[in-house]
Amino acid sequence: MSYRDVASKQVLIWACTSVGARVPVAMAPLALVFLVRERPGGYALGAALAAAFVIGEMIGAPVVGLRLRPDRARPQLAAALAAGTAGFVGLGVLPGAHPVTLAAFAFLAGGAPAAVAGGLRAMLTTLVPARAVTQALSTESMLNSGIWAVSPAAVTGLALGVAPRVPLLLAAALMASSIVGLWLLPAGWAVPDEHRTEGTGRRGPSLLGLLVAAWPVYVTGAAGLTLLGLAELVLPALLEQRGIGVGWSGPILTGLAVGAGLGAFLYGVRAWPGRLRTRSVVLIGGMSVCVTAAALIPDTAGIAVALAVGGMLQSGALVTRNLSLREVLPASALAAGYSVMYAAASAGYAAAGSLAGALLQVTAPSTAVLAGVALTLVLTGVGWWGEIRSGDRSARDSAPGSAHGADPVAPARPHAPGREGTPGPEGTAIRGRRDAEDRL
């Protein structure tokens, strides 16, 4: 296992394309607030526009993701990016438009390209050897951490130093550039016919059925982002409660992003013991401890260190969740699965914002954070229970002579190494490829 397997010209092109597609998403919520803050009720309008953007992401990711075809992903991704570019252009060119018009543009900018992240992730894992998938996903996580560390500062500097519309016009230009990058990448990726039951003419589960069956992975993935999102949103109020200047929010959140990048790198350095679902629970549990510490520690340095370590653990948990999806979904469903995961994460972040707003009206910021920790632990427990049940069900269904096991009439066919039927570390079948971490 080495990051050298990820260092290639194709992965570099993919990274540049990904930056162009994802920086606008990272810039958008804050840029929308700056765009209208000088209008009457500007901050409330900005929050509403940001909400429209996130709602667009939550709806667009599964709707568009379910329609992505691996064999012709490039034109579909390009069309989605073009529509998103149009949304950003509308916001930047018409900042004084009616709020409903701006909300429509924000919804389009968020919803149209929402499945692109999932499609690009699925493409990335086909650009590297099977043994380097973990390193590829860790590299993606590091790239995202860098994007989220730089984007808020860039938006603030451009909006205050040049003009409020400039960040959105820059977002449009970056998203348009990513369309060009797509044409330097493969048109799609080949997948086996995994929906047909081997040895029979029957079709397997539908794509929607496969995605629904993976719900425990989405729940656990959303739990981690909900907790960290709540900590980020409550941080200014928490610092004020401790008598610390709210200006420290920026440096502390930058440290959190840097910690997340470091955590993603460390996760890909070696093979970690234990099942993926167990690792997820351990990482999210550790993150919960860190966020709890941040809520209780009275000094700036302690809060910063606690959140930085929490960011390290959260990025590892995110990589683990993406690897878990590779275990429970066939290759043909991965782009859609990643898109649904994106929607779940967006829903988790939106829930964190709503929870923060509600709790801060009735309780202290530190108590609000502790309530978020409790919610995260409940969601993690539900997801873990669901994964255990799914693993047990898969083991029963694959047992010889079971109703869903091998065809008792058709002769048994030997499986090539890494093909469907080879048990993965979670006890479920890995369909159509080798183990995600190349350890079987």
Side-chain angles (χ1 to χ4, degrees):
M1 302 177 67
S2 170
Y3 281 102
R4 287 191 297 269
D5 293 318
V6 181
S8 69
K9 180 180 178 181
Q10 284 289 84
V11 172
L12 178 60
I13 295 172
W14 176 92
C16 294
T17 303
S18 185
V19 167
R22 298 187 188 196
V23 167
V25 176
M27 295 173 64
L30 186 57
L32 289 169
V33 173
F34 277 113
L35 181 71
V36 297
R37 73 186 184 95
E38 294 183 359
R39 294 171 61 163
Y43 283 110
L45 176 58
L49 295 179
F53 182 88
V54 174
I55 292 171
E57 289 185 299
M58 289 190 293
I59 296 175
V63 169
V64 179
L66 283 169
R67 288 164 173 75
L68 278 180
R69 291 180 52 185
D71 58 335
R72 59 185 304 271
R74 183 167 62 192
Q76 292 180 293
L77 296 176
L81 289 169
T85 300
F88 280 109
V89 168
L91 290 166
V93 172
L94 302 171
H98 190 278
V100 174
T101 302
L102 293 178
F105 280 130
F107 183 89
L108 177 63
V116 171
L120 287 175
R121 181 176 299 136
M123 182 180 291
L124 172 64
T125 58
T126 67
L127 298 177
V128 300
R131 63 179 179 272
V133 167
T134 298
Q135 286 70 36
L137 293 175
S138 294
T139 300
E140 182 203 28
S141 186
M142 285 186 277
L143 183 67
N144 287 338
S145 296
I147 289 172
W148 284 93
V150 171
S151 294
V155 168
T156 303
L158 290 172
L160 297 180
V162 185
R165 70 174 68 190
V166 171
L168 292 161
L169 294 175
L170 175 61
L174 287 171
M175 190 162 280
S177 72
S178 67
I179 301 175
V180 178
L182 280 176
W183 256 257
L184 301 176
L185 292 169
W189 53 93
V191 296
D193 185 8
E194 295 151 317
H195 292 278
R196 189 173 296 280
T197 303
E198 190 170 4
T200 72
R202 299 189 300 272
R203 299 295 290 182
S206 67
L207 175 58
L208 182 59
L210 289 168
L211 296 177
V212 170
W215 69 265
V217 182
Y218 306 135
V219 170
T220 312
L225 192 64
T226 300
L227 177 58
L228 214 60
L230 181 67
E232 292 176 2
L233 294 169
V234 177
L235 180 61
L238 179 64
L239 294 178
E240 193 172 67
Q241 178 189 358
R242 302 297 184 211
I244 302 169
V246 295
W248 281 102
S249 298
I252 289 175
L253 292 178
T254 299
L256 187 153
V258 171
L262 178 60
F265 173 79
L266 293 175
Y267 190 92
V269 166
R270 52 158 294 176
W272 298 94
R275 295 181 174 184
L276 290 173
R277 65 176 180 239
T278 304
R279 284 185 235 163
S280 293
V281 170
V282 171
L283 290 168
I284 295 177
M287 184 174 61
S288 299
V289 172
C290 291
V291 174
T292 300
L296 300 177
I297 293 174
D299 61 274
T300 308
I303 294 173
V305 171
L307 289 182
V309 176
M312 290 177 59
L313 299 175
Q314 193 270 343
S315 63
L318 179 60
V319 175
T320 301
R321 294 294 79 198
N322 289 329
L323 290 171
S324 294
L325 274 184
R326 287 179 58 82
E327 287 199 344
V328 300
L329 293 178
S332 58
L334 277 176
Y338 290 140
S339 298
V340 174
M341 175 72 89
Y342 186 89
S346 299
Y349 198 88
S354 301
L355 181 64
L359 290 177
L360 289 176
Q361 299 295 322
V362 297
T363 189
S366 57
T367 306
V369 172
L370 295 178
V373 170
L375 175 62
T376 296
L377 293 176
V378 170
L379 292 175
T380 303
V382 170
W384 190 35
W385 169 79
E387 289 192 73
I388 292 174
R389 284 197 63 191
S390 298
D392 292 343
R393 187 182 303 114
S394 297
R396 289 195 304 269
D397 291 348
S398 62
S402 68
H404 303 283
D407 190 336
V409 177
R413 296 175 56 184
H415 292 285
R419 298 293 300 172
E420 185 175 10
T422 303
E426 295 291 334
T428 58
I430 303 176
R431 303 170 177 87
R433 64 196 161 279
R434 302 174 68 184
D435 171 41
E437 297 183 79
D438 198 36
R439 290 188 285 115
L440 297 182

